[in-house]
Amino acid sequence: MTTDASSASSRFLRGAAQTFAAPLGALGSISTVAMMIVTTIDVVSRNLSGSSVPGLIELSGTLLIATVFLGLSYAGAANAHVSVDLVTSRFPVSVSRRLAGLMWLLGSAMTVWFIYATAVRALASFQMREIATGLVDWPLWPARWLVVIGFVAFLVIALVNSFLGLRGEPLLGEDDEDDDSEHPSPSEAPPSTTPAPAFRAAPHGTEETS
């Protein structure tokens, strides 16, 4: 009964985390496409008229922030963040997963500090209505709140991965990956036991027919 409840809670957390991260990942992808379009328009304008379109440079900076920070949680849910498993790959799967869970827990603690620092800065920026002066006066406080939102979403994913990893379960994005112990790689496959065909030399002066 306890095992069933534990599996149900893990399934719920996986589904909730991926449902939570997917829209943010989609917004990050849309921001990437929009940034490409804005940059292209700005380049074309520079080549044709010799000047930039007012506001496009500032807009591309905000879109870049949205691309990076809104995509953090989705990358965590899809197991797409850069990782080095040179050491942990030599451990049993259960041990490496628990080590990964511990690392995610430490990352969660750091993310809490990131959230606090960026939220304080975003609040101050909002209160003073911080702007960047260029071809146009561009407000900076919305982009600062995007950073906070991105870190909060990433914290949710980090806590879920910490929970799963410390229990020895696959992390988010690893659901379809099989354990090495269950499916050995081709280099570790047992040697073939099929006997080699025997060849008999034909007597001198005769032809061997099939």
Side-chain angles (χ1 to χ4, degrees), residues 9 15 20 34-35 48 53 67 90 102 115 120-121 123 133 143 145 148 157-158 160 163 170 189 191 204 206:
S9 62
F20 171 75
M35 183 172 57
L48 294 180
V53 178
T67 298
R90 302 177 183 274
L102 179 60
I115 292 172
V120 170
R121 186 67 182 88
L123 181 60
T133 302
W145 282 112
V148 178
I157 301 301
V160 172
F163 175 80
H204 181 68
T206 63

Side-chain angles (χ1 to χ4, degrees), residues 74-165:
Y74 181 78
N79 194 31
H81 283 293
V82 177
S83 61
V84 179
D85 58 356
L86 183 63
V87 175
T88 56
S89 62
R90 302 177 183 274
F91 296 151
V93 174
S94 59
V95 175
S96 62
R97 284 175 179 168
R98 285 180 168 83
L99 287 176
L102 179 60
M103 293 301 101
W104 275 104
L105 186 61
L106 294 176
S108 300
M110 294 182 62
T111 305
V112 170
W113 179 65
F114 293 157
I115 292 172
Y116 171 77
T118 54
V120 170
R121 186 67 182 88
L123 181 60
S125 177
F126 174 76
Q127 291 174 342
M128 69 176 62
R129 297 298 191 270
E130 184 180 12
I131 61 172
T133 302
L135 295 178
V136 297
D137 291 338
W138 189 263
L140 294 178
W141 59 267
R144 295 193 182 278
W145 282 112
L146 286 177
V147 175
V148 178
I149 293 172
F151 277 135
V152 170
F154 180 74
L155 176 62
V156 173
I157 301 301
L159 290 175
V160 172
N161 270 333
S162 301
F163 175 80
L164 296 174

Side-chain angles (χ1 to χ4, degrees), residues 24-36 59-75 146:
L24 294 177
L27 289 175
S29 299
I30 293 172
S31 298
T32 303
V33 175
M35 183 172 57
M36 294 170 59
L59 176 59
S60 63
T62 301
L63 291 174
L64 177 61
I65 292 174
T67 298
V68 172
F69 288 95
L70 294 183
L72 280 177
S73 59
Y74 181 78
L146 286 177

Side-chain angles (χ1 to χ4, degrees), residues 170-192:
L171 302 179
L172 295 173
E174 293 182 343
D175 298 10
D176 298 330
E177 296 181 11
D178 296 324
D179 296 348
D180 295 338
S181 58
E182 297 177 0
H183 297 275
S185 61
S187 60
E188 299 175 351
S192 175

